[in-house]
Amino acid sequence: MAPKDFENKVALVTGAGSGIGREAARAFASRGAIVVAADLNEGGLAATRDLIAELGGRVLTAPMDVSSEAQVRELIARIDKDLGRLDVAFNNAGITGQAHRIEDYPTEDFDRVISVNLKSVFLGMKHQIPLLRRTGGGAIVNTASVAALTGPGGMSAYAASKHGVHGLTRVAAMENAAHGLRINALAPGWTETPMVKEASAQNPGFAELATSAIPAKRGALPSEIAAAAVWLASEASSYVMGQMLVVDGGMTIGG
Ligand code: NAD
């Protein structure tokens, strides 16, 4: 049985309607948290809600767009009004965007990826930090990627957004370390979620090639990445601040 170390704590998870976010929402709920599951995808959120209900966990769903400041502000105000506190925020929603060389990358698509992956983390933290601090501190975990450390060809917007998440995380950690609020980033490698399955379907053979190049010879299960997010949000990592935890089956070991 999972320890109940998040009992009565409020954990906000974005991108909770699929993949890593769904597994993290389940993991926080199984450890006693009241989960606020946010996502654009209402069907995905309903499925996450049902999975958490099966565990006997507590969850509120919030259909919203993480790149809209009005919607982020409204969500945090609702958490404050209905639950009175915030202890954990896992800013995880993201998209890959298209694959094109920089000279061919449509500028509006570049803007969209930056907005969903990077501006959302800024907006999330901007509105989460005052509530987290007012209600006793806690932890923020932001999802970056191994693309925060590398320059995957064709993925300029994605890599730039994830490098940006790493930088924002460090600044936020520095600003809040003395205030009982720890902020870290998580850098997953290849993870078997719908995001990756979609990309592989567009490029047959790529998944096999990519996973055979990973030292572990397989992609991660979403639950393996979620476990690292929960650890970063838990008291077990109480002295870890401003770091980016790479969870990639050894993908980046060789440089
Ligand atoms: P996923 O596609 O399974 O889940 C992402 C979720 O984010 C979806 O439910 C989607 O509806 C939601 N979302 C997208 N745009 C949104 C918006 N504007 N507002 C609210 N919700 C929105 O993908 P995943 O693999 O679970 O990805 C989660 C995070 O992990 C992303 O930030 C991604 O970049 C990162 N990541 C994934 C991998 C991987 O291999 N899967 C690797 C490194 C990093």
Side-chain angles (χ1 to χ4, degrees):
M1 222 180 60
K4 294 288 181 195
D5 51 344
F6 287 88
E7 193 76 61
N8 294 326
K9 292 192 171 182
V10 175
L12 165 62
V13 178
T14 73
S18 180
I20 294 166
R22 171 177 288 160
E23 286 309 312
R26 272 159 47 92
F28 282 122
S30 73
R31 290 167 72 149
I34 302 165
V35 173
V36 180
D39 204 296
L40 263 185
N41 177 347
E42 296 197 32
L45 277 182
T48 300
R49 184 194 58 216
D50 293 349
L51 287 165
I52 291 177
E54 273 171 32
L55 298 170
R58 289 175 291 176
V59 61
L60 303 178
T61 55
M64 54 89 66
D65 180 348
V66 291
S67 66
S68 153
E69 181 156 23
Q71 293 183 39
V72 171
R73 186 189 293 113
E74 196 185 316
L75 174 65
I76 301 303
R78 183 180 148 205
I79 292 172
D80 189 9
K81 181 168 167 282
D82 294 352
L83 302 170
R85 58 182 304 109
L86 183 62
D87 303 280
V88 171
F90 181 31
N91 294 312
N92 164 76
I95 55 175
T96 50
Q98 305 178 27
H100 297 289
R101 295 176 57 87
I102 290 175
E103 59 269 35
D104 300 323
Y105 210 98
T107 305
E108 58 277 18
D109 292 347
F110 187 89
D111 284 345
R112 182 162 163 265
V113 173
I114 296 293
S115 203
V116 174
N117 291 2
L118 176 59
K119 187 173 150 209
S120 67
V121 173
F122 165 74
L123 293 175
M125 292 199 293
K126 177 174 175 180
H127 293 280
Q128 293 153 4
I129 286 169
L131 180 57
L132 277 154
R133 282 181 51 173
R134 205 182 81 223
T135 59
I140 295 177
V141 181
N142 298 319
T143 303
S145 165
V146 287
L149 296 168
T150 59
M155 304 299 288
S156 54
Y158 188 73
S161 71
K162 296 302 188 178
H163 276 72
V165 168
H166 188 193
L168 264 183
T169 300
R170 289 170 134 171
V171 171
M174 178 65 95
E175 290 176 359
N176 289 283
H179 302 284
L181 178 52
R182 293 182 309 107
I183 303 177
N184 290 287
L186 179 63
W190 184 280
T191 309
E192 302 290 345
T193 67
M195 175 184 275
V196 151
K197 286 177 189 155
E198 235 171 68
S200 318
Q202 283 171 32
N203 195 346
F206 179 65
E208 206 181 320
L209 190 68
T211 48
S212 67
I214 299 169
K217 300 295 173 209
R218 66 175 181 87
L221 297 172
S223 59
E224 292 176 300
I225 305 300
V230 171
W231 180 76
L232 281 175
S234 78
E235 273 303 302
S237 64
S238 54
Y239 205 57
V240 180
M241 300 181 194
Q243 300 303 307
M244 183 164 73
L245 178 60
V246 179
V247 186
D248 69 351
M251 191 191 253
T252 52
I253 297 172

